[in-house]
Amino acid sequence: ELMDGLCVLTNGSDVDKLKFLFQVYDVDGNGVIDFDELRTVLKSCMSESALVFSEDHLDDLTSALFDDADTDGNGSISFEELQAELDKHPGVVENLTIRSASVSCDGHVIVI
């Protein structure tokens, strides 16, 4: 599975990359991203980027992003809503690629 994911991130189309990202964000696998899942992802991303936010600021950021993406107001973000949100910000999906490695879909990783 890891190699398949790396293959998608390095060689897949933008839609394939987004589908993979959605599956990662949808922690419980129920087909939608809820507020807590988005908050968890944002917290992880900030930690990896050495960004420090208070819990209140993290909640505010999560709320702003969630409210903007949840266009039908049902309390969750569907794949289509995530896709529409990222379409507002061209280049974001492209930044999800792994630039430090080249991955062959036959399962071999070649580090550049």
Side-chain angles (χ1 to χ4, degrees):
E1 282 185 51
L2 176 61
M3 290 307 297
D4 290 341
L6 290 173
C7 184
V8 168
L9 287 176
T10 57
N11 301 315
S13 69
D14 285 350
V15 172
D16 290 337
K17 292 174 189 176
L18 185 56
K19 286 179 181 176
F20 180 80
L21 175 69
F22 187 85
Q23 290 174 345
V24 171
Y25 285 13
D26 178 18
V27 177
D28 64 9
N30 69 347
V32 295
I33 299 168
D34 64 31
F35 184 89
D36 290 334
E37 289 170 328
L38 181 60
R39 188 182 190 286
T40 298
V41 169
L42 290 174
K43 188 172 187 172
S44 295
C45 289
M46 287 187 298
S47 177
E48 288 178 17
S49 300
L51 296 173
V52 179
F53 280 61
S54 70
E55 293 297 313
D56 288 339
H57 284 138
L58 178 60
D59 287 340
D60 291 344
L61 176 61
T62 305
S63 290
L65 293 171
F66 193 87
D67 291 346
D68 197 42
D70 182 19
T71 55
D72 64 7
N74 70 348
S76 62
I77 300 170
S78 67
F79 174 78
E80 292 77 15
E81 287 172 320
L82 180 65
Q83 187 173 29
E85 184 67 19
L86 292 178
D87 283 347
K88 296 178 190 176
H89 309 284
V92 171
V93 175
E94 183 59 32
N95 289 328
L96 298 175
T97 60
I98 299 171
R99 298 176 194 273
S100 63
S102 175
V103 178
S104 168
C105 289
D106 67 2
H108 295 93
V109 178
I110 303 164
V111 178
I112 298 175

